[in-house]
Amino acid sequence: MNQSGWLQLILYVVLLVLITKPLGLYLYQVLDVNGRTFLDPVIRPIENITYRFIRIDARKEQGWILYTASMLLFSAVTAIFTYVLLRYQNLLPLNPQNMPAVVDHLAFNTAFSFTTNTNWQSYSGESTMSYLSQMLALVCHNFFSAAIGIAIAAAVVRGIVRHSSQTIGNFWVDLVRINLYLLLPICIIYAVFLVAQGIPQNFKPYDTAKVVEAQTVQVPKKDDAGNPVKDAKGNVIMVDQKVDTQSIVQGPIASQIAIKMLGTNGGGYTNANAAHPFENPTPLSNLIQMLSIFAIPSALTYYFGRMTKNQKHGWTVWGTMAILFVAGTLVCWAAESGGNPMVQHLGVDASGGNMEGKEVRFGIFNSALFATITTDASCGAVNAMHDSFTPLGGFVPLFNIQLGEIVFGGVGSGLYGMILFIVLAVFIAGLMVGRTPEYFGKKIESYDVKMASIAILLMAFSILGFSGWAALTPWGQAGVNNNGPHGLSEIFYAYSSCTGNNGSAFAGLTANPSNNDPHYDITLAFATLIGRYGIIIPVMALAGSLGRKKLVATGAGTFPVTGPLFIILLIGTILLVGALTFLPALTLTPILEHFLMLNGKLF
Amino acid sequence: MKIFVKELWTALSSTVVLCCVLCGVYPVIVWGLGQLLFSHQANGSLVQVNGQIVGSELIGQGFSGAKYFHPRPSDAGTGYDGGNSGASNLGPTSQKLIDGIKANLVAYRQENGLPESAVVPADAVTASGSGLDPHISVENARLQIARVAKVRSLSEEVIRSAVERAIDRPFLGIGGEAGVNVLKLNLELETLAQKKP
């Protein structure tokens, strides 16, 4: 844990604070149909034409049920759209590498994974997807799922702010405005910056380089049918092969990376995601990518404060998130710079930390910081392989996801997820003082707490249920890349990541095996659906219920939702729920592995 | 039913409009600006020697000959396979991981004439996340200078200054880590060799 790391951490937090207010104020205008922004002269005409074409009346609001139904319908239409594009990509244009059609269960998994903002990838981008699939079938969801998250958050905040109201906004208006005013303009500037840093943006086929020094590598010997040949003992026979070329991946990469980070999607263009030099070429591109993950979630807390006319509450929520974020970063950073004692025992420089699966240009600190940020948020892009982290270094991303990704969180989903915990915290505080709990002048009643609990419990059932199932079945066990507790961690991480709509992985897990066993693809796809709509629907019901309530006067007994006391209560609630739910399973996975590593046990 | 048909139309038509803008106009604008302003980067930062593409500045390449600086071990395909980025994904208690590092350590020490007890930089014996890491740590490069100088019959001083020139430094002195770009360095060594009388 060197000085340069501390300076970079401070720099990051300062930059995050600096963008929170301006972007929050901008969001305040974007999320109001009558809001004004400096982009109005350019975008307003396009916005109005769009409303006419899609036949909606922008002034007419929807109740929570219709709002949610519109969102679900739009999600269904776009999921099918992506599924069809992937299944027929071989017949469609912009496929210079002649990629074949994506197989059914993989297309199913990918369509839902991207629709739900998870962006779990059972495939390897550069060898599976055509340019059209990347820039249309996948990128459209990077925009849509991000916009939906923000729209739901805005609707929930409206529910909290309004009283005696039957409506909470118009989904289509939110969808259009968020895309046109927020995501698109930022992405254009951001993507051009990324090109300047070295990310390609073109439509030419992959280049083939003639390498400087040809290499001889060992590959399995194959018979005429393409199956590996084995010797009498059953070992695969290896033969020498000369490699004198290197394929250089090309395509519209920069435009995809910009929205992948800003929209906390995280679905990479290549298999190695943000560790690939073409997705994240420099330390500066890395810093900006990390900042862009938290930018909108952080600004949404400011928007929340502004809407509730209680900016202190907004900053209290921000502070809660910031404390959990810094704590996670420090644990992860300490574990990774401490490294693996078994490796150091062999004579590897201990000051280098755990470099397996990490890039030199990022080093230990930026890999640990990125891993914490990407899992605090529901991003899931990775610039280092979490699978090769030390046990405690890998514990942090895993636990971050299991806390519900409410530490800044996904765009929108972080805020509405945090609001669930706020409702729960207010409820617990109310029980402690023996008074009906209130939140912004609304009584929190049994229905509201039930909705919050359903959302939180569904997530736990999905993660633990699917993980347990996979761990006990042959198809589940066949997918792991590591033996011992680390193998179980891989399964546990996969279902946590998909349920949490994160998308990062302990990537050794083979979810899309060569024998085409569809179990992982299908179960993981269902986990993404439960994690997305199993939270959105109850949270919207809660918003509708809060919006309908009448205001009660604030009295001396009202529990204040600002300041250090509330931060402590909120952090306590979050950690308690997370720990009670997942600690038993975590004990069998990273925690057990930590002690085994210290004792020099190998699998 | 009427409301469902209306909403379905809105869902379908908004998908079409937004896809045109976000997946058509947007990437094309970025493509236009990128090709106009930063055409080298936008086309993959390719390195050409005598008109032949020999690699990309950003993508690591395999080197094993004694006269070249060696990159990190790679798990991309069969090693530095540009079309198959990837990592070992081996966890900290993996026997395979430890065995691999052990073998890498023996090879590294032998190649560079280091004693058996020599402490080796972590990046020299571990695989990167992408398998295409273009860099090695400065310490790793320094340990290879003597070998490269000997094979090329150049002074260590000449090689050392070439290494210094190939270092990509952190921005503002604090952002990220310094690394030596192996492809750039080895290409420079080739030009040095040609200049030599």
Side-chain angles (χ1 to χ4, degrees):
Chain A
M1 296 178 85
N2 51 9
Q3 192 192 1
S4 119
W6 286 104
L7 285 172
Q8 290 180 77
L9 181 59
I10 293 167
L11 176 72
Y12 181 81
V13 175
V14 168
L15 288 174
L16 187 65
V17 173
L18 288 178
I19 55 174
T20 297
K21 183 177 170 183
L23 193 57
L25 288 173
Y26 186 71
L27 274 169
Y28 184 72
Q29 300 297 332
V30 171
L31 296 173
D32 175 357
V33 65
N34 299 313
R36 291 185 179 280
T37 72
F38 67 99
L39 290 172
D40 278 15
V42 190
I43 298 177
R44 185 70 83 169
I46 306 173
E47 184 191 357
N48 288 335
I49 293 171
T50 307
Y51 292 150
R52 264 208 299 281
F53 182 69
I54 66 174
R55 293 186 200 160
I56 59 149
D57 180 355
R59 288 158 305 175
K60 217 171 136 193
E61 292 211 334
Q62 299 168 308
W64 80 265
I65 294 176
L66 190 54
Y67 195 105
T68 312
S70 295
M71 184 276 297
L72 288 172
L73 187 64
F74 180 71
S75 300
V77 165
T78 52
I80 294 167
F81 173 66
T82 293
Y83 180 82
V84 173
L85 278 179
L86 295 179
R87 295 286 289 142
Y88 296 101
Q89 69 169 5
N90 54 329
L91 307 175
L92 294 165
L94 277 176
N95 185 9
Q97 298 307 119
N98 295 316
M99 301 291 184
V102 179
V103 294
D104 51 6
H105 56 88
L106 180 57
F108 177 84
N109 178 285
T110 307
F112 283 122
S113 158
F114 275 71
T115 304
T116 55
N117 198 264
T118 310
N119 301 36
W120 167 275
Q121 294 172 293
S122 285
Y123 59 91
S124 164
E126 66 264 52
S127 55
T128 313
M129 296 294 170
S130 75
Y131 291 177
L132 187 77
S133 295
Q134 297 269 22
M135 67 185 268
L136 179 60
L138 304 182
V139 167
C140 76
H141 287 292
N142 286 3
F143 280 99
F144 296 161
S145 66
I148 287 172
I150 298 169
I152 298 293
V156 171
V157 171
R158 289 180 199 128
I160 291 171
V161 174
R162 294 177 183 181
H163 54 92
S164 319
S165 165
Q166 295 299 320
T167 62
I168 51 171
N170 183 313
F171 169 73
W172 304 108
V173 172
D174 286 336
L175 176 73
V176 169
R177 286 184 64 86
I178 292 164
N179 275 309
L180 295 186
Y181 285 93
L182 180 68
L183 301 177
L184 180 61
I186 296 178
C187 277
I188 291 176
I189 298 166
Y190 184 15
V192 173
F193 163 79
L194 291 175
V195 174
Q197 288 297 304
I199 303 187
Q201 177 78 5
N202 56 57
F203 297 98
K204 62 179 183 178
Y206 295 179
D207 279 309
T208 304
K210 192 171 180 309
V211 296
V212 178
E213 185 198 27
Q215 302 293 308
T216 306
V217 296
Q218 297 239 298
V219 293
K221 188 178 176 182
K222 290 191 176 161
D223 59 18
D224 294 338
N227 298 316
V229 182
K230 291 181 180 172
D231 64 13
K233 286 180 187 160
N235 295 322
V236 178
I237 300 173
M238 304 299 277
V239 288
D240 283 351
Q241 189 185 57
K242 199 173 161 216
V243 177
D244 53 7
T245 57
Q246 186 183 40
S247 170
I248 308 280
V249 170
Q250 300 289 357
I253 308 181
S255 54
Q256 180 163 345
I257 303 309
I259 185 61
K260 149 194 161 191
M261 307 311 284
L262 185 70
T264 64
N265 296 283
Y269 189 90
T270 60
N271 186 41
N273 209 299
H276 195 292
F278 274 172
E279 291 202 36
N280 195 357
T282 64
L284 182 59
S285 72
N286 188 61
L287 174 69
I288 302 299
Q289 291 195 7
M290 292 191 297
L291 209 54
S292 64
I293 297 176
F294 271 180
I296 294 175
S298 176
L300 274 169
T301 65
Y302 192 89
Y303 163 80
F304 186 36
R306 179 103 182 166
M307 283 292 284
T308 53
K309 299 198 174 59
N310 187 346
Q311 207 63 61
K312 265 173 89 179
H313 183 54
W315 284 115
T316 301
V317 171
W318 191 92
T320 307
M321 294 171 166
I323 289 170
L324 289 168
F325 157 58
V326 173
T329 305
L330 295 181
V331 173
C332 189
W333 181 23
E336 289 311 295
S337 50
N340 184 340
M342 281 184 281
V343 171
Q344 289 154 8
H345 185 70
L346 300 173
V348 175
D349 185 9
S351 69
N354 174 25
M355 280 302 284
E356 181 69 27
K358 294 190 181 63
E359 304 281 301
V360 167
R361 64 191 179 285
F362 305 136
I364 298 294
F365 173 74
N366 277 296
S367 301
L369 181 63
F370 198 110
T372 312
I373 291 171
T374 198
T375 50
D376 275 339
S378 75
C379 184
V382 294
N383 78 349
M385 296 303 133
H386 297 180
D387 211 348
S388 294
F389 274 28
T390 58
L392 292 185
F395 169 87
V396 170
L398 180 57
F399 195 52
N400 275 342
I401 296 171
Q402 292 170 344
L403 289 182
E405 292 166 350
I406 35 74
V407 180
F408 295 102
V411 287
S413 60
L415 182 62
Y416 64 69
M418 184 56 110
I419 287 172
L420 289 176
F421 280 101
I422 293 174
V423 167
L424 216 56
V426 168
F427 176 70
I428 293 170
L431 290 183
M432 287 195 288
V433 295
R435 200 172 180 284
T436 311
E438 289 163 21
Y439 186 48
F440 285 110
K442 311 274 182 61
K443 283 201 173 112
I444 302 294
E445 289 159 307
S446 127
Y447 177 83
D448 309 305
V449 177
K450 269 184 204 153
M451 288 302 131
S453 306
I454 287 174
I456 291 168
L457 285 176
L458 268 178
M459 197 182 129
F461 277 119
S462 172
I463 293 176
L464 295 171
F466 278 125
S467 298
W469 182 22
L472 292 174
T473 50
W475 60 263
Q477 291 161 7
V480 301
N481 183 47
N482 286 272
N483 300 323
H486 199 81
L488 184 58
S489 298
E490 289 180 331
I491 297 174
F492 195 30
Y493 196 103
Y495 288 103
S496 301
S497 170
C498 280
T499 308
N501 296 151
N502 186 276
S504 68
F506 272 14
L509 186 83
T510 305
N512 185 33
S514 52
N515 68 3
N516 261 322
D517 186 321
H519 279 92
Y520 267 116
D521 273 345
I522 307 286
T523 51
L524 289 168
F526 277 106
T528 68
L529 291 171
I530 296 170
R532 181 75 163 176
Y533 304 109
I535 292 183
I536 285 185
I537 295 169
V539 100
M540 286 296 283
L542 173 67
S545 152
L546 289 176
R548 280 193 304 273
K549 286 180 202 262
K550 292 197 181 69
L551 279 185
V552 292
T554 320
T558 304
F559 190 78
V561 287
T562 56
L565 182 63
F566 187 69
I567 290 184
I568 292 169
L569 184 72
L570 190 52
I571 290 180
T573 310
I574 293 164
L575 292 181
L576 205 65
V577 170
L580 285 176
T581 317
F582 296 109
L583 211 55
L586 287 166
T587 312
L588 295 174
T589 45
I591 296 173
L592 175 61
E593 196 191 11
H594 174 70
F595 290 108
L596 291 171
M597 178 184 80
L598 294 183
N599 285 316
K601 176 94 176 113
L602 290 172
F603 296 91
Chain B
M1 192 60 205
K2 220 175 105 189
I3 191 157
F4 177 78
V5 172
K6 184 179 170 292
E7 289 284 308
L8 187 62
W9 162 262
T10 305
L12 291 169
S13 58
S14 57
T15 304
V16 172
V17 179
L18 291 173
C19 280
C20 286
V21 176
L22 304 171
C23 308
V25 177
Y26 160 61
V28 169
I29 290 178
V30 176
W31 172 75
L33 288 173
Q35 294 289 336
L36 198 69
L37 301 172
F38 310 104
S39 83
H40 174 65
Q41 293 95 314
N43 291 305
S45 308
L46 299 174
V47 185
Q48 302 196 354
V49 174
N50 304 326
Q52 168 72 50
I53 298 170
V54 297
S56 162
E57 288 168 23
L58 297 173
I59 306 287
Q61 218 169 78
F63 287 97
S64 49
K67 63 174 183 167
Y68 293 110
F69 279 86
H70 296 172
R72 302 177 62 187
S74 162
D75 276 300
T78 53
Y80 289 96
D81 179 346
N84 277 303
S85 60
S88 75
N89 281 312
L90 294 172
T93 52
S94 158
Q95 182 76 51
K96 220 169 136 192
L97 174 81
I98 301 294
D99 290 348
I101 290 179
K102 241 185 234 169
N104 292 339
L105 270 169
V106 170
Y108 188 86
R109 285 176 181 141
Q110 208 165 32
E111 280 165 14
N112 297 299
L114 302 172
E116 247 178 72
S117 58
V119 171
V120 170
D123 69 289
V125 291
T126 53
S128 65
S130 62
L132 302 170
D133 194 341
H135 295 110
I136 53 177
S137 68
V138 178
E139 189 49 37
N140 181 354
R142 285 188 183 135
L143 288 172
Q144 300 187 40
I145 289 176
R147 163 176 52 88
V148 175
K150 196 169 153 207
V151 178
R152 290 185 178 264
S153 316
L154 287 165
S155 77
E156 289 193 15
E157 213 35 62
V158 172
I159 307 286
R160 186 165 295 121
S161 65
V163 168
E164 288 297 318
R165 282 195 299 277
I167 296 178
D168 287 325
R169 293 178 197 283
F171 72 94
L172 301 177
I174 59 161
E177 311 287 328
V180 177
N181 188 307
V182 179
L183 178 62
K184 272 193 212 164
L185 176 57
N186 283 332
L187 282 172
E188 182 165 344
L189 292 180
E190 297 289 70
T191 39
L192 278 180
Q194 279 167 12
K195 274 188 212 144
K196 214 176 66 163

